[in-house]
Amino acid sequence: CAGEENWVDSRTVYIGHKEPPPGAEAYIPQRYPDNRIVSSKYTFWSFIPKNLFEQFRRIANFYFLVIFLVQLIIDTPTSPVTSGLPLFFVITVTAIKQGYEDWLRHKADCSINECPVDVVQQEKVVRTQSNKLRVGDIVMVREDETFPCDLIFLSSSRDDGTCYVTTTSLDGESSHKTYYAVPDTMAFKTEQEVDSLHATIECEQPQPDLYKFVGRINIYKDKEEPVSRTLGAENLLLRGATLKNTQHIFAVAVYTGMETKMALNYQSKSQKRSAVEKSMNAFLIVYLCILISKAVINTVLKYAWQWSPDRDEPWYNHRTEIERQRHVVIRAFTDFLAFMVLFNYIIPVSMYVTVEMQKFLGSYFITWDEEMFDEELGQGAQVNTSDLNEELGQVEYVFTDKTGTLTENNMEFIECCVDGNVYIPHAICNGQILSAASSIDMIDSSPGGYRREYEDLFFRALCLCHTVQVKEEETVDGIKRGIHQGRPTSFYISSSPDEVALVEGMKRLGYTYLRLKDNYMEILNKDDEIERFELLHVLNFDSVRRRMSVIVKSVSGEYLLFCKGADSSIFPRIVSGKVEQVKAHVEQNAVEGLRTLCVAYRRLSESEYQEACHYLTEAKLSLQDREQRLAQAYDVIERDFVLLGATAVEDRLQEKAADTIESLHKAGIKVWVLTGDKMETAAATCYASKLFRRSTQILELTKKRTKEQSLHDVLFELNRTVLRQRSISGLSVDCLDFGLIIDGATLSAVLKPTQEVSGHGNYREIFLEICRNCSAVLCCRMAPLQKAQIVKLIKSSKEHPITLAIGDGANDVSMILEAHVGIGEFNCILK
């Protein structure tokens, strides 16, 4: 199996809990956790001791408890009620509040663990509870249902063995992603057929990386040798994701409960303490030392005064017989405690009660703030932890998610350039015509005419070169979409919102993508004629190639290769076309913060097509180094293009997002964007939101670059660059602005414990030094746990800055909990 040498340990899953046939590996029973999710902090029996322990870890609470106990034990000048009553009030209110919050977590856990799940047992679909799932169970998931655990995809109701999934709760992306069944299992369509499957799955032990999975499936057929097929991330359906645009699927459970990738990325909630409270604790220790010193001095002075026999027992303070018989050391200690209680006012318990009440009332002022009220949602800010109010004015680092936080995740097709001519369609936003632009028609904004042939090819290319799926109707929040004037109309879904915007843009320009049926793509042209193209091959997009292609066959028998991708990926492969005009237009759109794609095509002869088929088939069937062989095949096929034009799409930012980031920069606050999205998409958003300026020099610390150079060399090269500029900027008025881009894979390598590097510290310290000299940092392809690791890294740096994290409250929970102050964007929840 490819990548098997990288497994630290492996597990074997017996599908349907069946033993392999005779002659195969021996059956070894393995114990795995059940499918329960536990996010609560306390149990019924542990609540009181655990909560009291946590509360008395606070120095103030522990101190007042000691004073209260002293007042109960010895005869003191003040009543125990003066210390005990306020302490009891504070402890009780805090315990009730924390108990209620944990009860809500228990309630949420129960609703998740008891949700119904369909399991295939004895050739029947049986309804059971989620917490009863075991590793090896075959699960049936229907459309719009959430996956109950991590599953290996076996078969689908779709003929091509694919399914479409949204992973909003995992990485924040609301687009549809395509997953694939193994060709040997995709033919098992019914529960009877699936239950007859005799196979085992070998895979790595659970790990939190959402984008990595290595395994293989061994399929046994009678007495024949088992058929082994590789498994990758495209075969693994993660807990928390939702099935879309697929009637049902069958899959087998491989990771359950707290071993799922979502649970491994969850960080348990810890009690946060503000900087003011920490400083109060420090001052409390100082005043406690003063108090002890005063008590010791007064005790010594008392016994020095009573050293003379005539002063030992004055007439106004006669001792009892018991006091006369008590040892002098015990008497001295009792007097010391009495002085402690007498001077106890130096640390008044009433001040702590006043501070707690001020925080409590301050949280209501945030709730009542009219400027934080959202009229669309009909609700204002909700404060979960009043301890953090004062932190809001001390924030030095802001960590924010991208999708849904900086942007609305709504792509808008702006314009396209065909053979040097610019076309602006109706202003659209994911298929909806904006009211302010409903009267705008197609405009050719450039002088001169255009060639109809290139125009038709360009529009056909965008109608065919995509992975968009067509759906007739969908119910969203009880409202049926896709119905127009009583007639069903189609709308588009895709793994990329860019593709939906492009196909919608072509629809406004007169070319409508209709559907994919029986491997034929149908489009409606300007003349209301339906054109059919046979889809032969899809060369999928990847972040290294930065382009995707399709090979189609027209009705006339002509083979066409259409390609779209980033300008840096397309232009080197162009042999003809108006390159300079299109390049100038692309650069202009990039300056405006638009996301651009270039479109090209190539006509293939019969022999060229057969050669391309040979390369692709050979690469897809290889078990070793499949990705590298596919990349080589794509590189051979995608060449000698004719440039058709370019497109410009805008990812709409949240209202005033750019102005807010600019204001934060002026205030000296550093802004980091942490996202699970692709680097190209995230970088375009950072430019649009003014996180990166056009003058910003971008430093890349990515997997692509570390393949070309070692991580050690890249880190030291970037460090030298920023340090050289810092030394120059001390002598020059002009200071170069740096922005850093890092991806999740490289971050994992940076954060690994390493040896000291030639006296410069480890990679972590070098990385922090680079970040300190950058005005903004973009972290892309981040897993939820990696976002929390980034926040923790900055928190624990030598400056110990105050951090704030903003996320969508689902995939960003770990980051929100790790930061000093966390804000959930949908409810504006302060944590």
Side-chain angles (χ1 to χ4, degrees):
C1 177
E4 186 175 355
E5 64 277 1
N6 297 325
W7 297 3
V8 177
D9 196 3
S10 64
R11 61 166 56 186
T12 302
V13 178
Y14 297 87
I15 297 179
H17 309 287
K18 298 173 185 170
E19 298 182 18
E25 295 179 4
Y27 181 85
I28 304 174
Q30 293 175 287
R31 294 181 62 86
Y32 302 113
D34 56 29
N35 200 38
R36 285 181 298 171
I37 289 290
V38 180
S39 63
S40 54
K41 196 174 182 180
Y42 309 105
T43 64
F44 179 79
W45 301 107
S46 69
F47 173 70
I48 292 178
K50 194 172 182 180
N51 185 264
L52 288 177
F53 173 75
E54 288 179 352
Q55 292 207 56
F56 284 115
R57 286 173 64 188
R58 297 176 66 177
I59 297 175
N61 288 347
F62 183 73
Y63 166 74
F64 290 125
L65 175 65
V66 171
I67 294 297
F68 173 66
L69 293 176
V70 168
Q71 288 176 308
L72 287 177
I73 294 170
I74 67 171
D75 184 20
T76 57
T78 57
S79 170
V81 177
T82 57
S83 295
L85 192 60
L87 178 64
F88 177 78
F89 173 78
V90 172
I91 295 296
T92 303
V93 170
T94 305
I96 291 172
K97 177 181 142 187
Q98 293 181 354
Y100 175 71
E101 291 176 353
D102 201 64
W103 177 76
L104 293 178
R105 287 193 286 271
H106 270 284
K107 193 175 178 182
D109 289 345
C110 286
S111 65
I112 293 173
N113 293 329
E114 295 176 2
C115 68
V117 176
D118 291 328
V119 179
V120 177
Q121 294 178 355
Q122 298 178 352
E123 300 185 354
K124 294 181 181 179
V125 176
V126 180
R127 202 80 162 170
T128 185
Q129 292 182 345
S130 176
N131 56 5
K132 294 180 180 178
L133 274 181
R134 294 184 299 156
V135 171
D137 282 340
I138 300 175
V139 181
M140 179 181 179
V141 183
R142 294 181 171 84
E143 185 174 8
D144 294 327
E145 288 184 352
T146 301
F147 302 125
C149 59
D150 289 354
L151 306 163
I152 290 296
F153 184 20
L154 295 178
S155 65
S156 165
S157 58
R158 303 178 67 91
D159 295 333
D160 56 358
T162 61
C163 71
Y164 300 94
V165 171
T166 56
T167 56
T168 308
S169 61
L170 294 170
D171 55 17
E173 295 185 25
S174 58
S175 53
H176 290 61
K177 296 180 179 178
T178 307
Y179 287 80
Y180 302 90
V182 177
D184 300 82
T185 64
M186 60 185 287
F188 295 83
K189 298 291 185 182
T190 64
E191 50 267 31
Q192 292 82 9
E193 292 174 346
V194 170
D195 195 49
S196 67
L197 177 63
H198 220 94
T200 61
I201 294 174
E202 296 175 60
C203 58
E204 60 192 358
Q205 292 294 348
Q207 60 164 312
D209 192 338
L210 297 178
Y211 309 105
K212 183 175 181 290
F213 176 76
V214 178
R216 69 177 166 212
I217 182 170
N218 303 309
I219 304 165
Y220 298 90
K221 297 178 180 178
D222 299 328
K223 295 182 180 180
E224 299 177 9
E225 286 293 320
V227 177
S228 295
R229 292 288 182 262
T230 57
L231 297 173
E234 70 277 5
N235 309 114
L236 183 68
L237 306 170
L238 301 180
R239 179 174 192 151
T242 305
L243 183 66
K244 289 289 185 182
N245 204 29
T246 308
Q247 191 175 3
H248 69 266
I249 65 160
F250 290 102
V252 60
V254 286
Y255 304 126
T256 54
M258 301 307 291
E259 287 189 343
T260 59
K261 289 183 181 290
M262 184 179 75
L264 293 174
N265 276 280
Y266 174 76
Q267 184 176 356
S268 58
K269 185 174 182 181
S270 58
Q271 191 173 2
K272 294 184 180 181
R273 306 193 186 281
S274 66
V276 170
E277 183 180 343
K278 291 175 182 176
S279 62
M280 285 176 63
N281 287 338
F283 287 122
L284 178 63
I285 293 174
V286 173
Y287 284 111
L288 189 59
C289 293
I290 295 173
L291 176 61
I292 293 172
S293 301
K294 288 178 66 175
V296 169
I297 291 170
N298 279 274
T299 303
V300 171
L301 290 176
K302 176 188 175 183
Y303 281 89
W305 171 263
Q306 293 179 345
W307 189 257
S308 175
D310 58 334
R311 296 175 184 169
D312 185 34
E313 192 175 345
W315 59 269
Y316 55 82
N317 189 16
H318 287 284
R319 295 197 189 99
T320 63
E321 189 63 29
I322 296 176
E323 289 176 333
R324 290 193 185 98
Q325 295 176 359
R326 189 177 295 166
H327 194 276
V328 64
V329 175
I330 297 176
R331 276 189 290 154
F333 182 69
T334 305
D335 290 337
F336 168 75
L337 294 178
F339 278 118
M340 286 278 291
V341 174
L342 183 63
F343 295 119
N344 178 42
Y345 63 84
I346 195 173
I347 308 173
V349 67
S350 59
M351 179 191 72
Y352 281 88
V353 176
T354 304
V355 169
E356 290 295 328
M357 292 301 296
Q358 181 273 330
K359 289 181 177 180
F360 178 74
L361 293 175
S363 66
Y364 275 94
F365 277 100
I366 295 176
T367 305
W368 295 333
D369 192 341
E370 293 182 356
E371 293 185 3
M372 297 185 71
F373 184 82
D374 191 312
E375 295 181 355
E376 292 182 6
L377 296 175
Q379 64 183 107
Q382 178 185 344
V383 181
N384 276 5
T385 305
S386 57
D387 294 337
L388 307 176
N389 298 352
E390 62 270 20
E391 299 280 70
L392 292 171
Q394 306 175 63
V395 172
E396 298 173 58
Y397 281 81
V398 173
F399 300 92
T400 175
D401 183 32
K402 182 190 77 71
T403 308
T405 307
L406 286 180
T407 69
E408 296 178 358
N409 201 29
N410 249 345
M411 303 298 176
E412 181 181 353
F413 183 82
I414 302 299
E415 63 182 34
C416 59
C417 173
V418 184
D419 199 36
N421 300 319
V422 180
Y423 303 97
I424 304 174
H426 289 300
I428 63 153
C429 179
N430 281 4
Q432 298 179 354
I433 302 176
L434 303 181
S435 57
S438 57
S439 61
I440 299 178
D441 203 350
M442 187 180 74
I443 302 171
D444 182 357
S445 62
S446 64
Y450 55 86
R451 285 189 292 169
R452 178 67 184 264
E453 179 191 358
Y454 270 30
E455 177 194 313
D456 290 343
L457 280 170
F458 178 85
F459 293 153
R460 286 192 185 102
L462 289 178
C463 285
L464 298 171
C465 187
H466 56 71
T467 57
V468 170
Q469 299 294 316
V470 181
K471 195 167 184 184
E472 297 298 328
E473 184 180 308
E474 184 180 52
T475 303
V476 180
D477 298 331
I479 302 173
K480 286 188 177 181
R481 293 177 52 189
I483 300 295
H484 179 65
Q485 295 179 351
R487 295 177 300 174
T489 59
S490 61
F491 63 96
Y492 305 118
I493 56 175
S494 173
S495 59
S496 170
D498 301 65
E499 291 193 327
V500 174
L502 290 173
V503 175
E504 289 283 4
M506 294 305 100
K507 188 175 181 179
R508 301 301 175 193
L509 289 171
Y511 278 76
T512 304
Y513 173 60
L514 297 177
R515 60 180 175 173
L516 172 64
K517 184 179 180 182
D518 300 329
N519 223 33
Y520 278 87
M521 303 180 81
E522 297 179 358
I523 60 177
L524 186 69
N525 61 24
K526 281 184 179 180
D527 303 323
D528 289 333
E529 297 173 349
I530 295 179
E531 300 179 3
R532 300 179 82 238
F533 293 86
E534 184 181 0
L535 180 60
L536 301 173
H537 293 283
V538 178
L539 283 60
N540 291 315
F541 176 89
D542 63 64
S543 57
V544 178
R545 286 165 52 241
R546 300 180 67 190
R547 60 184 181 271
M548 78 158 290
S549 303
V550 293
I551 301 177
V552 297
K553 183 180 180 181
S554 65
V555 179
S556 62
E558 186 179 25
Y559 294 99
L560 294 169
L561 170 64
F562 291 115
C563 181
K564 68 178 182 185
D567 54 345
S568 59
S569 176
I570 298 292
F571 284 140
R573 298 175 177 271
I574 298 298
V575 293
S576 66
K578 296 187 178 180
V579 177
E580 294 304 321
Q581 294 92 321
V582 174
K583 184 180 289 187
H585 192 72
V586 167
E587 291 175 356
Q588 179 185 344
N589 286 333
V591 171
E592 296 171 1
L594 301 177
R595 302 167 63 162
T596 58
L597 285 175
C598 293
V599 182
Y601 87 106
R602 173 188 169 200
R603 284 187 168 88
L604 301 176
S605 64
E606 179 73 27
S607 61
E608 288 174 331
Y609 169 69
Q610 293 300 333
E611 186 181 2
C613 281
H614 173 72
Y615 283 130
L616 292 172
T617 304
E618 192 178 59
K620 288 177 180 178
L621 291 178
S622 62
L623 294 179
Q624 300 289 338
D625 303 324
R626 183 185 300 176
E627 291 184 2
Q628 290 85 343
R629 293 192 180 186
L630 277 173
Q632 292 171 3
Y634 293 163
D635 191 61
V636 172
I637 297 168
E638 295 171 325
R639 57 183 173 81
D640 300 335
F641 285 133
V642 177
L643 183 63
L644 293 174
T647 64
V649 174
E650 180 183 17
D651 187 0
R652 296 178 59 188
L653 292 176
Q654 295 279 3
E655 186 180 359
K656 297 183 179 179
D659 295 337
T660 302
I661 289 179
E662 194 171 17
S663 299
L664 291 172
H665 275 153
K666 289 180 180 177
I669 298 174
K670 291 193 174 184
V671 181
W672 289 35
V673 174
L674 313 181
T675 178
D677 215 339
K678 297 188 288 286
M679 186 182 82
E680 296 79 14
T681 306
T685 302
C686 289
Y687 279 110
S689 61
K690 298 182 181 179
L691 185 74
F692 294 156
R693 299 176 181 85
R694 291 299 150 189
S695 59
T696 302
Q697 181 177 337
I698 302 299
L699 308 175
E700 285 192 17
L701 188 56
T702 59
K703 186 178 180 180
K704 180 183 177 182
R705 184 166 179 184
T706 53
K707 278 184 177 180
E708 300 169 356
Q709 292 178 271
S710 67
L711 177 62
H712 179 278
D713 294 340
V714 174
L715 277 170
F716 275 91
E717 181 181 330
L718 295 180
N719 195 32
R720 283 194 299 269
T721 302
V722 295
L723 290 178
R724 188 187 309 116
Q725 179 59 33
R726 188 170 65 178
S727 62
I728 294 173
S729 62
L731 305 173
S732 173
V733 178
D734 298 326
C735 181
L736 191 60
D737 191 21
F738 287 107
L740 177 67
I741 298 178
I742 184 171
D743 58 18
T746 311
L747 179 68
S748 298
V750 169
L751 296 184
K752 279 183 181 178
T754 58
Q755 300 290 331
E756 294 291 318
V757 185
S758 63
H760 295 279
N762 54 28
Y763 289 156
R764 185 179 307 209
E765 294 173 357
I766 301 170
F767 172 68
L768 280 173
E769 184 65 29
I770 296 170
C771 293
R772 289 189 192 101
N773 292 280
C774 294
S775 60
V777 178
L778 166 62
C779 305
C780 52
R781 281 301 182 196
M782 292 283 116
L785 199 59
Q786 285 183 312
K787 295 184 179 184
Q789 289 174 342
I790 282 282
V791 177
K792 187 176 182 179
L793 179 67
I794 298 300
K795 276 176 61 179
S796 58
S797 61
K798 61 183 179 182
E799 297 87 2
H800 297 290
I802 303 297
T803 59
L804 180 145
I806 307 173
D808 60 11
N811 61 307
D812 299 308
V813 167
S814 297
M815 175 179 73
I816 289 172
L817 295 178
E818 183 62 50
H820 292 92
V821 183
I823 299 179
E825 66 198 45
F826 293 127
N827 297 322
C828 248
I829 303 172
L830 274 70
K831 297 188 177 181

